[in-house]
């Protein structure tokens, strides 16, 4: 089966078969660290491919939904074993095609297997609740039923974790899936298709397409055959997805951007706060919606914190993402690099001072040196808009009230951290910070597989993902009044 990945071009997985795109069009993917290297050639799927995949998913739905959940779970166990056995290959492919440092790619590849194992356990958890009846001889209960064929549109920045954390709950509750992979990381996602194919998943239950969102992705959103759309990506695209899906009464879930603050109180363990700030801002070259975009430091420790953070930035290894010691690699492509460098220039123009980085750091790779600003106003672009790269800014505050108010003064609300030993500050923070994912003494990024993940305010729409929360989106809740026959 693995020739679909090593062969060129690779193929889509539709109706249990490996297929070229209907048009025969393909696209080339290049390595962002060494752009002359082509990492693979993939189908440029369009509306025809998406609609064929939706047909396959709809056809497979009745028998998949009718299968006892424990039998559905058995495929998850097998697919998890395949993913785990090839985790190193997946990590290498991920690093080569989208530039995530290998040390992080390895963890993400293994995380995919863990997500499947967690989701398999859902087969043995309740899918409804029994209530006391209001009349004699009645059973009164709720039931969670699968929706049908669902469309999943996933980004390149977590090219295996996000596809798996969407498809696992979708499938375990009895839906069938069409998954459109992030354009910049197709090979990583095709490993998931291969793992389920090797596990013997029935044809059409999982269909996987490569190509652009504006073609194949848009068809998933438009086609009346999909009953729900789960999307992770940019705010602009997500808002369009929501409009198109809700216009046809299709359920929709969005995971969008963030502008995540990390607050350092004067009583914080400063070295831990520095470590978390570095990791949150610069791992994956800052290309996480949970990355630390703003670091707010209490005035008494501001200078000390800044010095220690700059020392940590200077010590971090930057460069070839395939080197397991490298912490900061390239950004995903040239256009992203130009956009980030443009935002850095504008921030300088707005009066920001660059304390570290601020420029391209390799002639060939799309590498931007980890960049730290200070002196930016709260309404500067970098203080409120998401710039998807290794750029963060320092701000000085006097009181917890001030820090909270400034931290909350953005339209996003994905994740937030506070570093302190003060229980009062922790309680205030967990009750008042405008974020869906709240960290105390840990970095803003990260998502455990068994707890809900999602933002508030402009960072998301619809029920949260992961953990037991995922059942909300991937099932419909019905209430059954079941009165017994009179005789
Ligand atoms: C994480 O921080 O490990 O696209 C997950 C993103 C988020 C996922 C973050 N939806 O960056």
């Amino acid at each position: 089966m693995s020739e679909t990945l090593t062969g060129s071009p690779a193929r889509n997985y539709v109706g249990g078969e490996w297929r070229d795109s209907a048009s025969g069009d393909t696209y080339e993917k290049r390595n962002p660290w060494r752009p002359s290297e082509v990492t693979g050639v993939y189908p440029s799927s369009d509306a025809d491919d998406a609609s064929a995949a939706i047909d396959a998913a709809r056809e497979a739905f009745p028998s998949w939904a009718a299968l006892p959940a424990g039998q559905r779970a058995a495929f998850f166990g097998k697919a998890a074993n395949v993913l785990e056995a090839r985790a190193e290959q997946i990590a290498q492919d991920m690093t080569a095609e989208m530039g995530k440092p290998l040390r992080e790619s390895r963890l993400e590849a293994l995380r995919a297997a863990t997500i499947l194992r967690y989701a398999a356990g859902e087969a043995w958890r309740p899918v409804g609740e029994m209530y006391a009846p209001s009349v004699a001889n009645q059973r009164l209960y709720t039931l969670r039923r699968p929706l049908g064929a669902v469309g999943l549109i996933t980004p390149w920045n977590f090219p295996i974790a996000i596809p798996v954390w969407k498809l696992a709950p979708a499938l375990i509750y009895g839906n069938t899936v069409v998954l459109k992979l992030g354009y910049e990381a197709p090979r990583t996602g095709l490993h998931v298709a291969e793992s389920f194919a090797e596990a013997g998943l029935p044809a059409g239950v999982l269909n996987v397409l490569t190509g652009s969102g504006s073609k194949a992705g848009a068809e998933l959103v438009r086609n009346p055959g999909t009953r729900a759309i789960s999307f992770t990506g940019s705010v602009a695209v997500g808002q369009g997805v929501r409009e198109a899906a809700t216009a046809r009464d299709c359920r929709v879930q969005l995971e969008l951007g963030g502008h995540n603050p990390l607050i350092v109180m004067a009583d914080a363990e400063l070295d831990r706060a520095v470590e978390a700030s570095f990791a949150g801002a610069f791992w994956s070259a800052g290309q996480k919606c949970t990355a630390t975009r703003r670091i707010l430091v209490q005035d008494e420790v501001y200078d000390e914190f800044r010095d220690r953070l700059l020392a940590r930035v200077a010590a971090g290894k930057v460069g070839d993402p395939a080197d397991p010691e490298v912490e900061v690699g390239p950004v995903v492509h040239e256009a992203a690099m130009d956009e980030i460098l443009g935002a850095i220039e504008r921030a300088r123009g707005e009066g920001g001072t660059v304390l570290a980085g601020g420029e391209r750091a390799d002639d060939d790779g799309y590498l931007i040196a980890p960049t730290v600003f200070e002196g930016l106003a709260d309404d500067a672009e970098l203080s409120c808009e998401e710039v998807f790269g290794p750029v963060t800014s320092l701000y000085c505050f006097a009181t917890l009230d001030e820090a909270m108010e400034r931290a909350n003064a953005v339209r996003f609300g994905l994740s937030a951290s506070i570093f302190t030993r003060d229980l009062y500050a922790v309680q205030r923070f967990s009750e008042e910070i405008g974020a869906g994912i709240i960290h105390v003494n840990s970095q803003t990024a990260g998502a455990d597989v068994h707890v809900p993940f999602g933002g508030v305010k402009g960072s998301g729409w619809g029920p949260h993902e992961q953990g037991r929360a995922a059942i909300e989106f991937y099932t419909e809740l019905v209430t059954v009044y079941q009165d017994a026959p009179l005789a």
Side-chain angles (χ1 to χ4, degrees):
M1 214 65 87
S2 59
E3 68 272 18
T4 52
L5 289 187
T6 50
S8 185
R11 280 170 282 167
N12 288 326
Y13 185 59
V14 176
E17 290 169 5
W18 297 96
R19 292 191 198 167
D20 295 327
S21 65
S23 65
D25 291 349
T26 58
Y27 72 100
E28 239 176 40
K29 182 67 198 86
R30 286 165 186 271
N31 182 329
W33 174 244
R34 290 295 169 244
S36 59
E37 181 196 322
V38 174
T39 56
V41 178
Y42 301 93
S44 280
S45 310
D46 61 18
D48 289 340
D49 302 297
S51 122
I54 293 167
D55 290 346
R58 293 185 67 194
E59 204 183 311
F61 173 67
S63 47
W64 180 248
L67 207 61
Q71 289 182 36
R72 294 199 288 263
F75 296 107
F76 281 50
K78 290 182 196 154
N81 290 344
V82 179
L83 283 181
E84 207 161 54
R86 52 166 88 176
E88 180 59 22
Q89 187 59 49
I90 296 171
Q92 301 273 353
D93 287 345
M94 192 186 314
T95 294
E97 68 182 354
M98 51 70 75
K100 184 172 295 206
L102 189 58
R103 40 191 277 152
E104 284 191 83
S105 300
R106 284 177 169 153
L107 293 174
E108 191 183 331
L110 290 172
R111 179 166 19 148
T114 309
I115 294 167
L116 287 183
R117 297 210 170 94
Y118 167 78
E122 280 296 286
W124 291 279
R125 291 185 199 113
V127 288
E129 281 178 339
M130 186 70 83
Y131 290 82
S134 34
V135 297
N137 297 319
Q138 185 189 52
R139 291 278 178 267
L140 182 56
Y141 59 96
T142 61
L143 197 56
R144 288 194 169 274
R145 308 189 303 206
L147 303 167
V150 301
L152 312 178
I153 303 173
T154 58
W156 51 265
N157 68 332
F158 283 90
I160 195 159
I162 293 180
V164 173
W165 92 35
K166 290 187 195 296
L167 70 84
L171 294 177
I172 199 70
Y173 300 125
N175 303 283
T176 53
V177 164
V178 181
L179 165 65
K180 209 290 285 173
L181 297 169
Y183 188 84
E184 304 297 336
R187 178 171 295 249
T188 308
L190 286 174
H191 279 290
V192 180
E194 286 210 333
S195 302
F196 274 102
E198 272 188 53
L201 192 75
V205 169
L206 172 65
N207 306 276
V208 182
L209 304 173
T210 64
S212 73
S214 59
K215 291 183 179 163
E219 178 63 15
L220 295 185
V221 177
R222 191 206 63 78
N223 192 307
T226 53
R227 293 282 324 278
I229 298 292
S230 179
F231 170 89
T232 299
S234 71
V235 174
V237 176
Q239 287 174 344
V241 167
R242 178 174 58 201
E243 273 163 36
T246 51
R248 66 169 178 93
D249 299 323
C250 176
R251 192 178 277 218
V252 62
Q253 172 186 56
L254 307 177
E255 289 295 340
L256 305 175
H259 206 289
N260 315 300
L262 182 151
I263 296 177
V264 183
M265 301 296 292
D267 70 344
E269 293 168 292
L270 280 196
D271 284 335
R272 269 177 90 186
V274 163
E275 205 49 45
S277 300
F278 181 85
F282 301 127
W283 284 358
S284 289
Q287 299 169 113
K288 300 181 186 181
C289 54
T290 47
T292 306
R293 305 283 175 215
R294 290 172 294 155
I295 306 171
L296 295 90
V297 187
Q298 201 159 20
D299 44 16
E300 291 141 84
V301 292
Y302 183 87
D303 290 347
E304 178 66 25
F305 178 88
R306 177 184 55 194
D307 292 349
R308 290 199 208 179
L309 179 65
L310 295 179
R312 178 65 180 86
V313 171
K317 195 164 179 191
V318 173
D320 180 357
D323 172 347
E325 309 233 302
V326 159
E327 292 185 278
V328 187
V331 297
V332 68
H333 50 46
E334 191 169 13
M337 179 182 70
D338 292 344
E339 226 173 280
I340 299 159
L341 291 172
I344 290 172
E345 276 327 296
R346 290 193 295 278
R348 282 194 168 104
E350 284 184 292
T353 305
V354 173
L355 300 176
E359 63 204 2
R360 188 171 181 177
D362 189 83
D363 290 341
D364 195 13
Y366 306 129
L367 187 70
I368 296 176
T371 299
V372 181
F373 269 95
E374 76 173 353
L376 282 167
D378 285 0
D379 62 356
E381 179 191 354
L382 267 189
S383 304
C384 18
E385 294 304 325
E386 184 178 50
V387 172
F388 216 60
V391 184
T392 195
S393 308
L394 287 167
Y395 307 83
C396 182
F397 69 86
T399 65
L400 178 63
D401 279 331
E402 180 197 336
M404 297 281 286
E405 196 184 319
R406 293 171 67 187
N408 282 338
V410 290
R411 67 189 163 124
F412 295 110
L414 186 54
S415 69
S417 296
I418 191 166
F419 279 75
T420 184
R421 295 176 164 96
D422 179 353
L423 194 53
Y424 169 76
V426 170
Q427 276 180 212
R428 286 275 316 275
F429 187 74
S430 55
E431 278 160 24
E432 294 171 33
I433 193 73
I437 307 292
I438 297 174
H439 289 270
V440 178
N441 297 320
S442 60
Q443 61 151 312
T444 57
D448 281 1
V449 307
H450 61 306
V451 289
F453 178 88
V456 299
K457 298 178 11 190
S459 289
W461 179 267
H464 286 188
E465 305 195 83
Q466 296 222 101
R468 278 240 98 195
I471 200 170
E472 294 287 331
F473 184 71
Y474 291 107
T475 61
E476 58 192 10
L477 181 67
V478 298
T479 305
V480 184
Y481 294 81
Q482 180 184 302
D483 291 13
L486 291 177

